[in-house]
Amino acid sequence: MISLAAFPIITKWPAQHPERLQLYSLATPNGVKVSIMLEEVGLAYEAHKVSFDTQDQLSPEFLSLNPNNKIPAIIDPNGPGGEPLALFESGAILIYLAEKTGQLLPQAPAARYETLQWLMFQMAGIGPMFGQVGFFNKFAGKAYEDKRPRDRYAAEARRLLGVLEKHLLGRTWIMGDEYSIADIATFPWIRNLIGFYESGDLVGITDFPNVLRALDGFVARPAVIRGLNIPS
């Protein structure tokens, strides 16, 4: 039996199935990247909700797993060499799970690096910029009388959507016909921008039909439907 007793986080979120991959997350755009990935590749896992309402992410137990106090994070009891592996950062987790399962990341070197390129595009651009749009359009920033910060981030979000729109012309997914971790990273953020952040009109989302088409295909996938609600 694999023991996870060495990980302090287990004291706050006990593992009912310690032989399974342990996911510590919340159903945010970054969080659902990993739950969707796990549903897509079919790995057995156990999900634990890290509640922002009670500041679970700042607890000593969670910080022992991710000192950067962000979700998601995982412990794989069957990591490299059969040893447990703790990992944080959603992009790193996607790469790890793709390599562990041999799924959703091309094996051919050129296609592999192109996929990682678009994964980094999401992590460095889409995620941070869309998050700022959400702050200034829906959360505390919406009360600011000066709308220049909001408009700056909305313009950058629109620019990033334009890059993706052009790239998706004639393509089903970011990598063409093959669905990949680049899609899993990107489309939860676009969905959030339009839905939860209520910013579709602000960025002119209807000007990006290729993005909307791919988004529709993404949210219709059974694994995505499941993963978007994990942890419940």
Side-chain angles (χ1 to χ4, degrees):
M1 175 68 69
I2 295 169
S3 174
L4 298 178
F7 295 92
I9 197 168
I10 298 300
T11 62
K12 187 174 178 67
W13 289 278
Q16 300 300 313
H17 303 279
E19 75 283 359
R20 300 180 185 177
L21 185 145
Q22 304 293 306
L23 169 65
Y24 306 89
S25 191
L26 193 64
T28 68
N30 280 335
V32 300
K33 291 178 191 176
V34 178
S35 54
I36 290 170
M37 180 67 175
L38 288 164
E39 291 291 328
E40 291 280 9
V41 301
L43 277 178
Y45 69 100
E46 182 177 354
H48 305 277
K49 183 177 180 179
V50 180
S51 176
F52 292 171
D53 292 340
T54 54
Q55 296 192 319
D56 283 347
Q57 76 277 17
L58 299 177
S59 66
E61 295 86 355
F62 187 78
L63 291 171
S64 71
L65 187 60
N66 182 1
N68 195 35
N69 67 268
K70 304 293 183 183
I71 58 94
I74 66 168
I75 301 173
D76 183 0
N78 299 295
E83 296 296 323
L85 173 69
L87 204 60
F88 63 87
E89 283 295 333
S90 59
I93 297 170
L94 288 180
I95 296 169
Y96 170 69
L97 294 175
E99 293 184 338
K100 177 182 176 74
T101 63
Q103 299 182 57
L104 302 180
L105 181 61
Q107 297 296 311
R112 170 187 166 82
Y113 286 118
E114 186 179 352
T115 305
L116 295 176
Q117 163 189 270
W118 287 102
L119 173 63
M120 302 305 164
F121 173 79
Q122 182 279 308
M123 293 170 61
I126 284 178
M129 294 303 106
F130 287 17
Q132 295 289 355
V133 171
F135 173 80
F136 284 105
N137 193 54
K138 181 168 182 173
F139 297 113
K142 70 181 179 182
Y144 295 0
E145 291 185 10
D146 186 351
K147 298 305 178 186
R148 287 176 294 180
R150 183 203 68 178
D151 293 345
R152 169 185 170 85
Y153 288 114
E156 178 62 5
R158 182 175 172 84
R159 187 191 72 80
L160 292 166
L161 287 166
V163 173
L164 194 58
E165 173 72 13
K166 183 177 180 181
H167 180 72
L168 285 168
L169 181 62
R171 297 171 183 260
T172 302
W173 302 109
I174 291 174
M175 286 301 294
D177 292 334
E178 298 298 322
Y179 178 75
S180 74
I181 59 173
D183 304 295
I184 292 174
T186 300
F187 289 109
W189 275 101
I190 297 172
R191 174 180 177 269
N192 215 58
L193 178 73
I194 299 169
F196 184 69
Y197 288 162
E198 302 171 355
S199 300
D201 290 341
L202 180 63
V203 301
I205 194 65
T206 57
D207 293 336
F208 307 102
N210 293 323
V211 172
L212 291 174
R213 168 189 50 78
L215 176 63
D216 286 344
F218 178 75
V219 298
R221 294 178 67 89
V224 173
I225 294 170
R226 296 190 299 270
L228 285 171
N229 295 301
I230 297 172
S232 61

